[in-house]
Amino acid sequence: MAKRVRRIGVMTSGGDSPGMNAAIRAVVRACAYYHTDCIGYYRGYQGMINGESIKLNARSVRNIVNQGGTILQSARSKAFLTEEGRARAAENLKKDEVDGMILIGGDGTFRGGQVFSKEHGISVIGVPGTIDNDIFGTNYAIGYDTALNTVVEAIDKIRDTASSHNRLFFVEVMGRDAGFIALNSGIGAGAEEILIPEENLGLERLLESLERSRRAGKTSSIVVVSEGDKIGKNVFELADYVKENLPNYDARVTVLGHIQRGGRPSCFDRVLASRLSVKAVELLLDGKKDLMVGMLNNEIESCSLDRALKGKHNINKELLKISEILST
Ligand code: ATP
């Protein structure tokens, strides 16, 4: 019979995302509900290595459901990539009598958790928290919805100035390997073109499309560019190329950058974080390990970390067609 889980650890790792606090709160409150101790580690794996922890009870997480960032802070830990680093983390967890860890983060965090569990036999459950939404096994990761709303609000503002001055704006949004933010915010904000890593539109087609828009009477345009788009070397080069080839356009660039990670989580992200995290605690209490929780078709499900890491969360190609139709 599996050993009874008496103490659960929780941490946030990798890039922070809005809703991580709601996730921490839900882990802590679910532990309290099920009469299980909860301990938080600061700065992800680095805090586990350094033994930087705090005992958490239901009252420790009051008034954080609405806050962006993470009260446990986040980090990328080079030391955890080494066997020695992971061994130090395992020693600290054993000293703290932690029976299982809940890891809130992205695919790197889950990869680390998988290695750690295999080497040291500590049960881990992953909760997907990343604005990029590039995790297989869940339709949505915590923070993605809030990031989309932030981007749409920013593009709405850019559109005001674009139309006042008849300008073409290239707006770079986050997403090095995945175009989820660009594609969905682009449709939501009514962008004329959306450039994503999954679909190489090509420079010629971009120029043709912009020319078509101009001839159709559009005096200003928004092009949403995912960080990882492969057309140009970067968004500035892309804008220069368009300026050279379409001198009628007054092209400008806005890089939205880190504002996309910040801000109060949307209601959707708070509810998602709450549902996923309660499930994560229940799985550990049930003796389960090496799983990731996710939301599929509005149901909370789980799959092995291995499957989550090997699978690919693809963009919905239908959205590309929608974008093309709507930019007519
Ligand atoms: P985001 O999607 O926001 O970037 P992430 O969880 O993917 O989040 P990473 O920086 O890739 O962020 O990973 C977080 C941490 O996980 C790393 O800093 C490292 O400490 C650990 N990690 C990643 N990959 C491994 C691995 N193969 N072995 C051990 N630890 C790893």
Side-chain angles (χ1 to χ4, degrees), residues 23 34 90-91 95-96 105 109 140 161 166 182-183 221 229 233 244 297:
Y34 290 116
E91 257 172 55
K95 216 162 35 193
D96 291 339
T109 299
Y140 301 103
T161 174
N166 293 346
L183 188 52
S221 289
D229 172 66
K233 267 195 198 142
E244 268 167 38
N297 301 320

Side-chain angles (χ1 to χ4, degrees), residues 16-324:
D16 64 316
S17 67
M20 280 184 162
N21 277 326
I24 296 168
R25 169 180 178 268
V27 168
V28 174
R29 294 260 164 105
C31 283
Y33 181 86
Y34 290 116
H35 308 292
T36 305
D37 289 345
C38 188
I39 181 164
Y41 287 88
Y42 288 104
R43 300 187 301 114
Y45 291 123
Q46 200 53 47
M48 285 162 57
I49 292 172
N50 297 347
E52 293 163 355
S53 62
I54 178 171
K55 284 188 181 151
L56 296 167
N57 63 38
R59 298 284 74 75
S60 332
V61 288
R62 62 161 73 100
N63 297 335
I64 65 164
V65 70
N66 55 343
Q67 284 175 25
T70 153
I71 58 162
L72 290 177
Q73 301 187 299
S74 190
R76 303 190 197 269
S77 167
K78 283 211 176 108
F80 200 77
L81 295 171
T82 67
E83 263 181 49
E84 305 80 68
R86 294 191 294 272
R88 270 173 51 202
E91 257 172 55
N92 284 327
L93 261 56
K94 282 180 187 149
K95 216 162 35 193
D96 291 339
E97 299 180 345
V98 168
D99 300 309
M101 276 300 300
I102 293 182
L103 314 170
I104 305 166
D107 58 343
T109 299
F110 301 155
R111 206 158 280 122
Q114 200 181 28
V115 179
F116 186 62
S117 160
K118 202 175 283 170
E119 283 176 351
H120 299 284
I122 293 172
S123 306
V124 301
I125 304 281
V127 175
T130 167
I131 63 166
D132 292 342
N133 206 36
D134 56 350
I135 309 268
F136 180 82
T138 188
N139 296 141
Y140 301 103
I142 298 164
Y144 169 61
D145 180 69
T146 307
L148 279 185
N149 286 308
T150 302
V151 171
V152 166
E153 198 184 326
I155 298 178
D156 286 349
K157 288 177 179 162
I158 291 167
R159 186 177 286 286
D160 288 346
T161 174
S163 58
S164 303
H165 290 274
N166 293 346
R167 278 179 183 150
L168 164 65
F169 266 89
F170 288 87
V171 183
E172 187 192 89
V173 301
M174 281 189 176
R176 236 167 290 139
D177 306 307
F180 290 97
I181 293 185
L183 188 52
N184 285 275
S185 68
I187 290 175
E192 277 63 37
E193 277 298 342
I194 301 169
L195 308 180
I196 57 174
E198 292 90 338
E199 186 89 352
N200 193 340
L201 181 69
L203 281 169
E204 290 315 308
R205 273 181 54 208
L206 174 65
L207 293 183
E208 278 168 27
S209 159
L210 291 171
E211 251 317 86
R212 229 183 2 258
S213 293
R214 203 180 59 82
R215 281 201 303 269
K218 290 192 186 180
T219 52
S220 66
S221 289
I222 303 280
V223 177
V224 177
V225 186
S226 196
E227 259 178 315
D229 172 66
K230 296 183 181 71
I231 296 192
K233 267 195 198 142
N234 60 48
V235 68
F236 293 98
E237 273 197 4
L238 192 62
D240 285 344
Y241 182 84
V242 170
K243 268 191 247 176
E244 268 167 38
N245 288 278
L246 299 177
N248 286 326
Y249 270 115
D250 179 10
R252 302 292 163 104
V253 172
T254 298
V255 176
L256 292 186
H258 284 81
I259 64 161
Q260 293 164 88
R261 287 196 187 282
R264 289 172 177 272
S266 65
C267 180
F268 181 89
D269 274 329
R270 298 180 200 191
V271 175
L272 176 70
S274 303
R275 292 179 72 189
L276 293 176
S277 304
V278 167
K279 180 72 174 179
V281 169
E282 289 174 345
L283 286 171
L284 275 182
L285 294 177
D286 227 15
K288 303 285 195 306
K289 58 178 192 163
D290 300 351
L291 299 176
M292 185 197 83
V293 287
M295 187 169 84
L296 295 170
N297 301 320
N298 205 27
E299 297 291 329
I300 302 302
E301 311 273 356
S302 62
C303 70
S304 71
L305 280 179
D306 198 44
R307 195 164 144 62
L309 288 168
K310 284 188 179 143
K312 179 154 172 48
H313 186 186
N314 292 315
I315 54 152
N316 182 350
K317 293 263 167 123
E318 183 206 329
L319 293 179
L320 288 169
K321 182 75 187 167
I322 301 278
S323 151
E324 189 190 330

